Amino acid sequence: MKTIAILFLALLLHGQAWALTIATGSAEGTYFQIAQDIKQITEREGIPIEVIPTNGSFDNINLLGAGKVDLAIMQLDVLRFVAEIMLKETGVNVLQEARVVLNLYPEEIHIITKNDKIKTVQDLQGKKVGVGPEKSGSALTAEVLLAGFELKVERVFDAPDAALKKLGTGDLEPR
């Protein structure tokens, strides 16, 4: 896997003198750490990488589309959502335009509660639920899940650390 990643990056950078840029997500998040790991490996091979922290998947796809970064790490459901919107509104097929899509790992989803009565996703009905920052990939994934389970909840658009604090203080407790 390491050899394939290095070969891919070497081909991408062939003849270029600047660093390859990767849009990631917050500096505390999984995507940022993945990019740091890629940077560590590629720089040993002489391939410079610049890791760009962002607000997440929507920022990443916008930066990539605007040509402001070379690579972007994002949730697959965000890519599909944006691709469907772009195809309807502009006729551009983002999935055909993408050169490489690599599934790094299955995306994690966490449902955390202090309430003993919440045992299933359906038990979130009518509750206050932290879904991630507004316009983030996490918020989009939450929308897909809530719609799939036909749940009506009060959405709270906080970063994970702020949502955990609210959970600790009771501000995300059920009504």
Side-chain angles (χ1 to χ4, degrees), residues 102-127:
L102 177 65
N103 189 5
L104 296 174
Y105 64 95
E107 188 70 39
E108 63 226 23
I109 298 172
H110 304 278
I111 299 175
I112 303 169
T113 182
K114 291 181 8 177
N115 186 333
D116 295 353
K117 294 177 185 168
I118 297 176
K119 305 240 184 256
T120 68
V121 174
Q122 289 85 354
D123 295 334
L124 296 173
Q125 182 74 18
K127 308 288 192 276

Side-chain angles (χ1 to χ4, degrees), residues 1-173:
M1 180 69 171
K2 175 184 168 187
T3 304
I4 293 170
I6 291 171
L7 179 60
F8 164 71
L9 292 172
L11 289 172
L12 191 63
L13 286 175
H14 181 70
Q16 298 179 12
W18 57 87
L20 184 66
T21 54
I22 302 177
T24 61
S26 73
E28 298 81 28
T30 304
Y31 296 169
F32 186 85
Q33 187 57 55
I34 289 170
Q36 291 291 1
D37 292 345
I38 292 169
K39 176 180 178 164
Q40 185 179 18
I41 291 167
T42 59
E43 286 187 343
R44 280 188 254 150
E45 304 296 326
I47 301 169
I49 300 279
E50 181 184 358
V51 176
I52 311 290
T54 69
N55 289 322
S57 294
F58 279 108
D59 278 354
N60 297 354
I61 200 163
N62 286 329
L63 289 168
L64 186 64
K68 294 180 179 178
V69 296
D70 300 301
L71 298 169
I73 301 174
M74 70 191 70
Q75 291 147 293
L76 188 57
D77 56 348
V78 171
L79 177 60
R80 183 174 178 173
F81 176 79
V82 170
E84 288 175 8
I85 298 274
M86 290 293 293
L87 188 58
K88 287 177 188 171
E89 292 185 5
T90 67
V92 173
N93 188 335
V94 172
L95 297 176
Q96 283 183 339
E97 297 295 322
R99 293 194 189 125
V100 176
V101 175
L102 177 65
N103 189 5
L104 296 174
Y105 64 95
E107 188 70 39
E108 63 226 23
I109 298 172
H110 304 278
I111 299 175
I112 303 169
T113 182
K114 291 181 8 177
N115 186 333
D116 295 353
K117 294 177 185 168
I118 297 176
K119 305 240 184 256
T120 68
V121 174
Q122 289 85 354
D123 295 334
L124 296 173
Q125 182 74 18
K127 308 288 192 276
K128 260 188 179 178
V129 177
V131 296
E134 202 165 10
K135 297 182 182 177
S136 69
S138 296
L140 175 67
T141 298
E143 287 300 320
V144 170
L145 290 172
L146 293 169
F149 285 100
E150 298 180 351
L151 296 176
K152 304 279 188 244
V153 302
E154 182 181 338
R155 290 158 185 78
V156 177
F157 296 100
D158 287 324
D161 56 344
L164 279 174
K165 285 179 186 172
K166 284 184 177 180
L167 183 64
T169 62
D171 289 334
L172 280 179
E173 285 299 302

